[in-house]
Amino acid sequence: MDQHRAPVHEALQTFKTMRVVPFDVPGHKRGKGNPELLDFLGEKCLAVDVNSMKPLDNLCHPTGVIREAELLAADAFGAADAFFMVGGTTSSVQAMILSAVARNDKIILPRNVHRSVINALILCGATPVYINPQTHEQLGISLGMRLEDVKQTVLQNPDAKAILINNPTYYGICSNLAEITALAHAHGMLVLADEAHGTHFYFGENLPLSAMAAGADMAAVSMHKSGGSLTQSSLLLCGTGVNSAYVRQVINLAQTTSGSYLLMASLDISRRNLALHGRQTFNAVTRLTDYARTEINQIGDYYAYGSDLINGDSIFNFDVTKLSVNTLNVGLAGIEVYDLLRDEYDIQIEFGDLGNFLAYISLGDNQKNIERLISALSEIRRIYKKDKASLMKHEYINPQVLMPPQQAFYAPKRSVALEDSVGSVCCDFVMCYPPGIPILAPGERVTGDIVDYIRYAKEKGCSLTGSEDMAVNRLNIWKEGD
Amino acid sequence: MELWYSEKHTENVELSIRVNRQLYSAQSEFQRIDVFESPEFGRFLTLDGFMMLTERDEFIYHEMMAHVPLAVHPDPKTILVIGAGDGGVLRELGKYPGIERMDLVEIDPQVVAVCKEFLPQTACGFDDPRVRVYHQDGLKFVRACADEYDLIIVDSTDPFGPGEGLFTKEFYGNCFKALKADGLMINQHESPFYEADALAMKRAHARIVKSFPISRVYQAHIPTYPSGHWLFGFSSKKYHPIRDLKSAQWKALGIQTRYYNTNLHRGAFYLPNYVESILKECEDDE
């Protein structure tokens, strides 16, 4: 296929020259009805904030330029089919899971999944079977799934319908995608990849294997992260093993009928750019990140890790475009460095946890800004260095799933104080950042260990989110007997 | 036919200089470089269209950057100059026999080459055997230095474009680290007059104040720079720009200057009220 084409973009360009008189929505009518918004976003932007119409196709039932653009995307990513998504990669992940499993089906997944995965289980009623993602002792970050653990879990749960894999994690860690895919397929299970942080795997050189190349069945790809498209735009990719017409039906269950052409055009233009220039782009990103890693490691005390972490199993591969840095020997938490960079040096990075921070390096970066980041880190060490900080212990707590998340979420429940919840079935979701791993999902038993961990995490300054009581002093538990 | 070079000083103000001919124009890896010849200002260099120096008035800028710190520091031996690819600052520094080493860090080698070809009046500064030239990012260069220089002179372009990193807190902090315990830093400090320049000047001052125990500002009159009123930063770990001025010692050197003298040195630190109040605002925020 001709990857120089961008059908949605081209159709919008043509549409602008037609000077069509709008008696349809949106009511701002190319911005004329909202001068302040027009002034803020500009005419170029509002002129293409338009509604579905014949020459521009319709995202819910695409037969024209959107369909052409989706097929070009499928071709570029080596997929059998692709869908333009406008509800973020959360919508891609949810559509992927809702397509693969139904009520009471089992799905195997690492515990460090994105919250959108567990929310999808609440929507569809499937039962999760979790795998311990291992924790790196020195860095305190969760890793990938060990092949042996996946094997065990598959043998113990031969009735599972699918396996979900993070490719890669937020920190850039990859599991053995090819072997896990082969194993899953040998047992008749679908392979779903959360590639929210892996768009570039499809285009760069010497990067970890992409899901489609590994033969996975579906992948949720955050084009708006490393792919360069607008925030909230995403792709859902399908392999040959899934019925993509059914996937489209599932997507339409929750997708807007007013898909934004700004988002769709951004997907179209970005896909073209990636297909034509992706290799050079990500080679440049890799060079910048490698340079930054070397320089940061020379400052002293900081540990910018990379391929040196690879252990052939729970860290099968590492995404070298990720600039993840451990800060414990500087005596500062990652989150402290994150705050200092923003408050003192006008530098905003992606996130900081207790022992690490991540600076996101992308196709929009240049050498000049990298020098600023490195120099600021050097200054932070010179001015703020303290004694080595002790690492918070992240003991992995094996979740006891007593009922599917959906059943627990909708069950009759009552709110109790945290300490009174031990032994009961949790109806809330409790997420802990760092390390970005769910502590409790609906349907799981609250144990003494879990309550202790929640208290400990709070003391250590972790952010706990997801439960109805936002301070997590109380939990909703299953009201037995009702 | 009339040929004019025009630079917008604001959206609503322009400076135009009649040009006889254009001597050079090229896009380097970092910026567009042009050299013109004019009846009023002689030859002049622009980067990305912004005036850098003219043969007619460059002496003011270069003398004020070099002689002010050197009349204060009692015994400067090692000097780092960042930017200044035209060689003008080096030419002034070259007048001091006591200096042992002048390191110049200019990111763009093409600027140096062009100045050597078309602006010998300033580029003669490169002929001094004490000069060592490094073509790399200034921010990166100072990061690797500690306790090494008596004086750092930051002759940067405006804070948009290649010079941006030289207006940051991390840069000033790294300069502090690169200086010896009694070291000084001089920087091009923008202008207080037009709003956009004043904002850059405020931001720079606020960041320097946080990095050095003594940070003062002085001024000069430079006809071809926006508003003509230009500021310089004097940041120091130990010496005060006026109390530690060594007038007699400096005069004894017998250095020829056209703009600078030690009376003007003192006067340059006495600023208009509106400038004082802008600076005070930044300092109070501290």
Side-chain angles (χ1 to χ4, degrees), chain B residues 15-155:
Chain B
L15 171 77
S16 293
I17 298 173
R18 188 193 293 278
V19 167
N20 298 333
R21 62 193 179 119
Q22 185 167 18
L23 299 174
Y24 182 85
S25 182
Q27 179 73 39
S28 78
E29 189 190 338
F30 302 95
Q31 54 208 335
R32 180 176 162 166
I33 307 170
D34 292 278
V35 182
F36 302 92
E37 188 182 80
S38 69
E40 193 69 48
F41 285 96
R43 291 181 173 187
F44 62 92
L45 169 75
T46 67
L47 297 178
D48 286 335
F50 294 105
M51 175 63 78
M52 290 298 123
L53 65 93
T54 77
E55 287 184 325
R56 180 80 186 278
D57 68 356
E58 58 83 11
F59 70 99
I60 306 171
Y61 181 84
H62 292 132
E63 287 186 13
M64 288 303 275
M65 278 222 133
H67 301 302
V68 170
L70 289 180
V72 172
H73 196 290
D75 190 22
K77 293 199 178 329
T78 50
I79 300 186
L80 172 64
V81 183
I82 294 174
D86 52 71
V89 169
L90 294 177
R91 181 193 63 203
E92 294 306 309
L93 294 174
K95 296 173 180 172
Y96 293 81
I99 293 175
E100 290 170 359
R101 200 175 98 208
M102 294 179 259
D103 292 343
L104 179 122
V105 181
E106 161 64 58
I107 196 166
D108 193 345
Q110 207 164 324
V111 169
V112 175
V114 168
C115 291
K116 281 183 174 168
E117 185 174 354
F118 297 102
L119 293 162
Q121 180 180 313
T122 53
C124 64
F126 287 104
D127 298 337
D128 196 304
R130 294 169 292 176
V131 172
R132 298 195 300 200
V133 180
Y134 300 86
H135 292 300
Q136 56 170 282
D137 185 283
L139 184 53
K140 181 179 180 181
F141 187 91
V142 286
R143 197 167 71 228
C145 307
D147 195 24
E148 192 168 345
Y149 294 101
D150 297 305
L151 168 64
I152 297 177
I153 296 179
V154 187
D155 180 2

Side-chain angles (χ1 to χ4, degrees), chain B:
Chain B
M1 181 187 81
E2 295 200 35
L3 196 55
W4 291 81
Y5 158 83
S6 294
E7 179 186 354
K8 273 192 174 176
H9 284 180
T10 77
E11 271 307 300
N12 312 301
V13 179
E14 268 185 11
L15 171 77
S16 293
I17 298 173
R18 188 193 293 278
V19 167
N20 298 333
R21 62 193 179 119
Q22 185 167 18
L23 299 174
Y24 182 85
S25 182
Q27 179 73 39
S28 78
E29 189 190 338
F30 302 95
Q31 54 208 335
R32 180 176 162 166
I33 307 170
D34 292 278
V35 182
F36 302 92
E37 188 182 80
S38 69
E40 193 69 48
F41 285 96
R43 291 181 173 187
F44 62 92
L45 169 75
T46 67
L47 297 178
D48 286 335
F50 294 105
M51 175 63 78
M52 290 298 123
L53 65 93
T54 77
E55 287 184 325
R56 180 80 186 278
D57 68 356
E58 58 83 11
F59 70 99
I60 306 171
Y61 181 84
H62 292 132
E63 287 186 13
M64 288 303 275
M65 278 222 133
H67 301 302
V68 170
L70 289 180
V72 172
H73 196 290
D75 190 22
K77 293 199 178 329
T78 50
I79 300 186
L80 172 64
V81 183
I82 294 174
D86 52 71
V89 169
L90 294 177
R91 181 193 63 203
E92 294 306 309
L93 294 174
K95 296 173 180 172
Y96 293 81
I99 293 175
E100 290 170 359
R101 200 175 98 208
M102 294 179 259
D103 292 343
L104 179 122
V105 181
E106 161 64 58
I107 196 166
D108 193 345
Q110 207 164 324
V111 169
V112 175
V114 168
C115 291
K116 281 183 174 168
E117 185 174 354
F118 297 102
L119 293 162
Q121 180 180 313
T122 53
C124 64
F126 287 104
D127 298 337
D128 196 304
R130 294 169 292 176
V131 172
R132 298 195 300 200
V133 180
Y134 300 86
H135 292 300
Q136 56 170 282
D137 185 283
L139 184 53
K140 181 179 180 181
F141 187 91
V142 286
R143 197 167 71 228
C145 307
D147 195 24
E148 192 168 345
Y149 294 101
D150 297 305
L151 168 64
I152 297 177
I153 296 179
V154 187
D155 180 2
S156 62
T157 53
D158 293 322
F160 332 99
E164 190 175 341
L166 306 183
F167 283 84
T168 59
K169 194 180 168 196
E170 52 273 26
F171 174 68
Y172 300 131
N174 274 302
C175 284
F176 181 91
K177 173 175 65 93
L179 286 168
K180 293 180 185 164
D182 62 348
L184 301 175
M185 180 183 85
I186 300 295
N187 68 300
Q188 185 278 99
H189 211 302
E190 298 286 302
S191 163
F193 191 75
Y194 294 123
E195 198 183 332
D197 301 328
L199 189 67
M201 165 237 165
K202 269 165 81 166
R203 284 172 68 96
H205 190 66
R207 288 161 174 171
I208 291 174
V209 165
K210 284 187 178 178
S211 306
F212 282 86
I214 299 168
S215 44
R216 300 292 303 271
V217 167
Y218 62 101
Q219 61 188 352
H221 170 240
I222 300 171
T224 54
Y225 281 6
S227 85
H229 184 194
W230 214 256
L231 300 180
F232 302 87
F234 180 106
S235 315
S236 168
K237 291 189 177 182
K238 184 176 171 192
Y239 303 117
H240 187 274
I242 299 174
R243 287 198 294 272
D244 292 310
L245 170 64
K246 292 158 188 71
S247 295
Q249 193 183 320
W250 189 81
K251 283 176 190 156
L253 291 169
I255 288 169
Q256 293 299 309
T257 49
R258 290 175 65 203
Y259 191 85
Y260 179 83
N261 59 57
T262 51
N263 280 336
L264 180 133
H265 179 119
R266 286 189 194 87
F269 284 89
Y270 293 90
L271 301 171
N273 284 350
Y274 85 97
V275 181
E276 286 283 13
S277 72
I278 296 174
L279 295 174
K280 196 161 181 314
E281 238 175 75
C282 308
E283 288 159 17
D284 289 348
D285 285 346
E286 225 324 75

Side-chain angles (χ1 to χ4, degrees), chain A residues 291 295 299 343-347 367-379 382-384, chain B residues 137 139-140 143 160-165 168-177 203 207 210-211:
Chain A
Y291 171 78
E295 291 286 318
I299 293 173
D343 295 342
E344 298 296 326
Y345 297 95
D346 300 323
I347 294 173
Q367 189 71 34
K368 206 168 62 186
N369 287 346
I370 294 284
E371 294 296 352
R372 285 196 56 184
L373 175 65
I374 301 164
S375 294
L377 289 173
S378 155
E379 279 294 284
R382 179 174 74 85
I383 298 168
Y384 303 97
Chain B
D137 185 283
L139 184 53
K140 181 179 180 181
R143 197 167 71 228
F160 332 99
E164 190 175 341
T168 59
K169 194 180 168 196
E170 52 273 26
F171 174 68
Y172 300 131
N174 274 302
C175 284
F176 181 91
K177 173 175 65 93
R203 284 172 68 96
R207 288 161 174 171
K210 284 187 178 178
S211 306

Side-chain angles (χ1 to χ4, degrees), chain A residues 111 127-128 130 396-405 408-409 416 418-430 438-454 475-478 480:
Chain A
R111 185 63 165 174
T127 302
Y130 292 107
Y396 181 74
I397 302 172
N398 218 356
Q400 300 175 33
V401 181
L402 302 177
M403 61 177 75
F409 186 80
V416 297
L418 184 62
E419 54 272 21
D420 299 332
S421 65
V422 174
S424 42
V425 181
C426 183
C427 299
D428 273 339
F429 180 63
V430 181
I439 298 178
L440 278 169
E444 291 172 10
R445 189 193 301 280
V446 185
T447 64
D449 284 350
I450 289 173
V451 170
D452 289 346
Y453 186 91
I454 291 175
L475 280 180
N476 281 319
I477 59 164
W478 186 44
E480 264 172 280

Side-chain angles (χ1 to χ4, degrees), chain A residues 11 15 66 81 153 184 307 346 368 379 381 447:
Chain A
F15 174 75
I66 294 176
D81 211 336
T153 312
S307 309
D346 300 323
K368 206 168 62 186
E379 279 294 284
R381 176 177 175 269
T447 64

